[in-house]
Amino acid sequence: MKELTPLDRIEVPRPRPDVAYAARLPGHDASFRGLKRLLGAADCSKAGDRQAGLAARGDAAREAARELLGELTLEHLHDHPLTDERGEVDAVMRVNYDIDRDAFAPIASLRLGELKDQLLRAPGEEVARVGGALTGVMAAALAKLCDVHELVYLARKISRPTRARTLLGAPGTLASRLQPNHPTDDLRGITLLLYWGLSLGAGDALLGVNPAAGTVETTAAILRHLDRVRRETGVPTQICCLSHLKVQLAALEQGAPVEILFQSLAGTESCNVTEFDITVDLLDDGYRRMAARGALAGQAEQFMYFETGQGSELTYGKHNGIDMATAEALCYGLARRWDPFMVNNVTGFIGPETHLDDREMILANLQDHFMGKLLGVPMGMAPCYTLHARITLEGQQMATQLLTAAGANYYMDVCLNTDRMLAYFDTSGHDVQTLREIHGRAPGGEFLEWAIERGILARAGEGDEKWGTAGAITRGPRFGDVRQFCPDEAELAELLAATPAAHGFATAGPRPANAVSRRSRLDEAIARGALESELREEALARVAAFRVITTTAASKEAHLGSADAGARLSPESAAWLAPEDAQVQIVVSDGLSAEAVHHNVPDLLPVLLDGLAARGVTVGRPLLARYGRVKLAEAVAERLGARLVVMLLGERPGSGELASRSLSAYLAYHLAPGVDQEAAAAFSGNPAIGFEYTVVSSIHAGGLPAAEAGGVLVEKVLQVLARRAAGNRLEALLAGDAA
């Protein structure tokens, strides 16, 4: 177990006034006020930084910023910590200064450009040692000076192996994190996706499920199921349920097998506290509890798992004027405090407001991988995309080829590239094995022996020219054979019936067979078309007498490209909305899929309204908003004086006709001043907290059916109102009752 340095013992220089950095260009001068502006201008242009006003105005200004950055010494970067909106050093920045001071001293006087040259000449051990002396800001600044070859070359030098039950990230290996997500957490569907992934040689890094319902009960049930499958198949790996850290710790207290503790991280304290509901103290507590009582306590050398990705801070408006790459590097400087087993980067997950197209996604992933490995964390990569961005499967595949060359520890196995719950597109088990064969990589050693014994993988023998070098790892006779784990045809049929978008097990080499690929790509094309749909107010008027409101997003393009335009009421709507005597207000919005509204609201809303009326809950006349986002619920609650707003929002389309119609319900509980707010502040560590959220997702015919969802929402509303709490605090209260 790593000893954690108390925050008040980490030395951080006192913030200084912004410096003006200036360079002369042909015909004009370029000037950047403050290190934040200089760092932003030096980066390749990305949608999020353009939106935040941090990107350079053109190529010449960008190169001027890079030249200026390259002339700064590491000591200068050290002595100018980036501050929050109050001009203070936040907890994330402070943790980043917990560096190897002995290694920093001899390089402090180096200019950044000189450090880059030194690292390009140095062996991997020296690069890794220097990384321990750097803050996230220094690593980000260095990344902005590197081209693609340099990002790949430098990252490839560094090895960051870790060990839980098994070894991850050893040189020459490429692992995968098997992610069998299901839109309703149906254990039958999760089982099939586990069997399918294992049959493709996936899962050596982790078996991990993102639950649709983030409750303690669901988390514990999924963990026990994953543990059962692991034991029955004999696969040497580890398990995780990716619910909130507080929920996982509550499941641990109830005896669930929490082997690896997961949490998403942001690069600013304000984003972590207000949006992710975490603090450094909470993570310290989780780390210590896992070391003492985790399912692998005494066996695992590392047991923490963090997920990051460029843009979350900007999307939530909590980036403190820091560009996306630098904020991401600060995440890695934060993550290394807890010596993680895994870090997974999901840049591309948010959408076009942060990364618009293939080029922006690919470059950002290469930066992230380099920065993370340099700073000392074991980097798994998930170059991914959503359908409302201009990112494609082909762009994702280009990214994986480059990242494999750069030495990524692992990728995801999202079956046939389609996440059935989160409605985004990631790498698959087929991709991982393809990359292993192209780049001469193998799974982790313990897993490899298991897979060879199963006939899933094989070693090429001497003279076996079709596989190239003797000893190379290729597919065995049972590669892709799901029936080795489920020989009962009736049971397999039941598992298949419970699993959306399962288009066939046939393979061609390491790839899915053409018929399977074509069906998957057709599903994606159908879903992408759902983004073009618009709300039909006349049709919805037959469902309820909606009041129509508008947001500050005047068009779909403005909505998709902005992090917050859809979260604000237009001045016209704000002017006529006035407080009402109703406990609950309901808002319906297209979000990213108007089709989700039209296919679900007609069945869901009457059940919800009738159910609440029958329980004596007062509800205002429903509102309808075009181009809305989740946080619009807060503006509505404040204008109407509602205690709870139920936001029915069209989610980003998933793959296929049914998943392209996915609706989510966000229950935004408006905390009353006094006891409610104080209890929420104490639980979250955010003294200014005003709202808590409970989410019910994957509402569609292939997930949680609309009418059934209406009944679920009635019960959730009653729980929120009775407990005067939502989100993680509500789950903690309910778990306390169950205990």
Side-chain angles (χ1 to χ4, degrees):
M1 176 179 172
K2 180 182 177 182
E3 184 175 346
L4 303 177
T5 307
L7 289 183
D8 60 4
R9 288 177 51 193
I10 300 174
E11 297 179 14
V12 184
R14 182 173 297 177
R16 302 185 182 190
D18 282 342
V19 175
Y21 304 95
R24 183 172 297 278
L25 300 175
H28 67 282
D29 293 337
S31 179
F32 310 94
R33 186 71 186 178
L35 191 53
K36 292 179 184 178
R37 290 283 178 180
L38 182 64
L39 287 164
D43 205 354
C44 53
S45 182
K46 302 168 195 163
D49 293 334
R50 292 193 296 272
Q51 179 182 315
L54 294 169
R57 291 189 296 271
D59 292 342
R62 183 175 303 107
E63 288 307 318
R66 288 172 174 169
E67 183 173 351
L68 289 166
L69 198 57
E71 291 299 310
L72 297 182
T73 64
L74 292 175
E75 186 173 28
H76 181 91
L77 294 171
H78 175 277
D79 292 346
H80 291 79
L82 306 186
T83 58
D84 62 18
E85 296 299 327
R86 299 166 299 182
E88 299 174 358
V89 173
D90 72 6
V92 174
M93 188 66 62
R94 181 168 295 277
V95 170
N96 266 261
Y97 275 82
D98 191 10
I99 60 176
D100 183 340
R101 296 285 169 178
D102 292 335
F104 180 71
I107 64 173
S109 62
L110 286 180
R111 293 181 174 87
L112 194 65
E114 292 173 333
L115 176 66
K116 173 188 161 185
D117 291 343
Q118 178 175 309
L119 295 181
L120 286 167
R121 299 185 186 107
E125 296 81 2
E126 182 180 342
V127 178
R129 183 182 60 81
V130 168
L134 303 182
T135 67
V137 172
M138 297 172 194
L142 187 61
K144 296 167 194 290
L145 300 187
C146 293
D147 62 25
V148 167
H149 286 312
E150 290 159 352
L151 291 170
V152 171
Y153 179 72
L154 284 169
R156 188 181 179 89
K157 292 187 180 191
I158 308 169
S159 177
R160 300 291 188 189
T162 55
R163 179 177 287 280
R165 176 177 284 110
T166 60
L167 181 66
L168 176 63
T173 64
L174 179 62
S176 71
R177 201 214 98 182
L178 207 169
Q179 180 168 291
N181 292 350
H182 191 279
T184 61
D185 297 325
D186 189 320
L187 296 181
R188 297 170 301 170
I190 290 172
T191 300
L192 179 69
L193 295 173
L194 284 168
Y195 289 166
W196 199 345
L198 292 173
S199 77
L200 297 171
D204 48 328
L206 188 82
L207 309 180
V209 173
N210 300 78
T215 65
V216 177
E217 179 183 15
T218 298
T219 298
I222 288 174
L223 284 168
R224 292 189 176 99
H225 184 67
L226 292 175
D227 187 55
R228 181 184 65 78
V229 172
R230 181 188 66 79
R231 292 174 185 276
E232 288 179 353
T233 60
V235 57
T237 188
Q238 31 282 316
I239 65 170
C240 181
C241 183
L242 286 74
S243 50
H244 192 275
L245 181 142
K246 292 178 179 178
V247 173
Q248 294 169 80
L249 291 177
L252 176 66
E253 294 302 317
Q254 293 184 7
V258 181
E259 296 186 350
I260 303 295
L261 186 64
F262 166 82
Q263 182 55 49
S264 294
L265 298 181
T268 66
E269 182 180 12
S270 59
C271 192
N272 279 321
V273 171
T274 62
E275 305 300 336
F276 291 178
D277 192 21
I278 56 170
T279 63
V280 172
D281 287 343
L282 174 65
L283 287 160
D284 283 353
D285 178 61
Y287 179 76
R288 293 186 178 109
R289 288 165 68 180
M290 284 294 292
R293 301 194 297 280
L296 297 180
Q299 177 181 354
E301 296 175 17
Q302 290 90 12
F303 41 78
M304 303 293 282
Y305 171 19
F306 299 118
E307 198 157 87
T308 69
Q310 286 190 26
S312 60
E313 303 86 0
L314 179 135
T315 295
Y316 289 119
K318 302 287 176 17
H319 59 97
N320 294 341
I322 300 171
D323 68 273
M324 295 193 299
T326 303
E328 180 68 7
L330 292 171
C331 289
Y332 305 139
L334 177 65
R336 70 181 172 188
R337 175 177 176 84
W338 300 285
D339 187 22
F341 174 64
M342 303 169 62
V343 172
N344 188 45
N345 173 276
V346 292
T347 291
F349 181 81
I350 296 174
E353 69 206 51
T354 62
H355 299 84
L356 181 63
D357 55 24
D358 287 330
R359 178 181 178 276
E360 293 183 15
M361 180 273 292
I362 293 170
L363 288 171
N365 271 269
L366 291 171
Q367 288 178 332
D368 295 347
H369 179 253
F370 162 68
M371 295 186 300
K373 288 184 77 174
L374 180 64
L375 288 169
V377 295
M379 291 300 294
M381 300 303 298
C384 54
Y385 62 98
T386 61
L387 296 182
H388 61 301
R390 300 175 194 166
I391 302 175
T392 63
L393 179 66
E394 290 76 15
Q396 179 195 68
Q397 291 174 342
M398 294 175 198
T400 60
Q401 292 288 350
L402 289 166
L403 289 164
T404 305
N409 275 14
Y410 69 91
Y411 295 109
M412 307 296 287
D413 170 24
V414 174
C415 183
L416 298 179
N417 303 102
T418 302
D419 191 294
R420 289 146 183 80
M421 193 276 288
L422 292 173
Y424 81 113
F425 296 81
D426 210 321
T427 53
S428 70
H430 297 92
D431 294 337
V432 176
Q433 184 57 27
T434 302
L435 291 164
R436 286 171 180 160
E437 296 189 27
I438 292 173
H439 293 270
R441 305 294 173 82
E446 301 99 330
F447 184 96
L448 175 59
E449 296 309 315
W450 172 85
I452 289 174
E453 184 179 346
R454 280 270 185 178
I456 296 169
L457 299 177
R459 285 191 179 92
E462 291 285 349
D464 196 352
E465 296 178 356
K466 66 179 179 178
W467 300 123
T469 306
I473 302 304
T474 184
R475 286 150 280 110
R478 306 204 74 176
F479 179 81
D481 179 10
V482 175
R483 288 172 175 81
Q484 66 183 292
F485 301 110
C486 186
D488 186 304
E489 289 295 329
E491 180 185 355
L492 182 59
E494 182 182 354
L495 300 184
L496 268 168
T499 309
H503 299 315
F505 304 131
T507 60
R511 306 299 298 157
N514 184 64
V516 177
S517 293
R518 297 280 64 78
R519 178 64 189 276
S520 298
R521 295 302 295 271
L522 177 60
D523 276 358
E524 183 178 330
I526 291 170
R528 208 178 279 269
L531 289 162
E532 302 172 3
S533 61
E534 297 283 356
L535 280 180
R536 301 184 295 278
E537 293 179 13
E538 69 285 354
L540 292 169
R542 295 193 287 271
V543 178
F546 285 102
R547 296 176 285 178
V548 177
I549 58 175
T550 55
T551 70
T552 57
S555 66
K556 178 166 288 190
E557 183 178 6
H559 172 51
L560 295 180
S562 169
D564 61 357
R568 300 193 303 265
L569 286 166
S570 67
E572 297 79 11
S573 292
W576 66 260
L577 287 176
E580 299 176 356
D581 186 21
Q583 295 168 282
V584 175
Q585 296 285 349
I586 298 172
V587 182
V588 174
S589 181
D590 50 0
L592 296 177
S593 173
E595 288 304 302
V597 171
H598 288 292
H599 281 87
N600 294 288
V601 168
D603 291 331
L604 186 157
L605 189 57
V607 175
L608 177 58
L609 290 172
D610 291 347
L612 293 178
R615 304 294 186 92
V617 177
T618 57
V619 183
R621 181 178 156 198
L623 298 104
L624 180 66
R626 192 184 302 273
Y627 309 140
R629 287 187 180 249
V630 174
K631 291 297 182 74
L632 182 63
E634 297 183 11
V636 168
E638 289 166 350
R639 296 299 300 175
L640 294 180
R643 185 56 48 216
L644 178 65
V645 171
V646 178
M647 185 86 178
L648 301 175
L649 188 75
E651 290 288 13
R652 55 192 183 197
S655 185
E657 186 176 15
L658 295 179
S660 68
R661 302 167 179 171
S662 183
L663 190 80
S664 284
Y666 294 85
L667 281 65
Y669 180 61
H670 195 183
L671 293 160
V675 175
D676 286 1
Q677 198 280 333
E678 291 167 6
F683 184 85
S684 67
N686 176 17
I689 188 171
F691 287 85
E692 293 176 317
Y693 283 85
T694 287
V695 184
V696 176
S697 61
S698 298
I699 301 170
H700 59 85
L704 178 63
E708 184 179 340
V712 170
L713 289 175
V714 170
E715 296 307 313
K716 280 294 180 185
V717 168
L718 294 173
Q719 287 178 345
V720 170
L721 294 177
R723 292 291 185 174
R724 299 192 299 187
N728 290 325
R729 190 163 64 95
L730 174 63
E731 294 307 319
L733 292 170
L734 295 174
D737 288 347

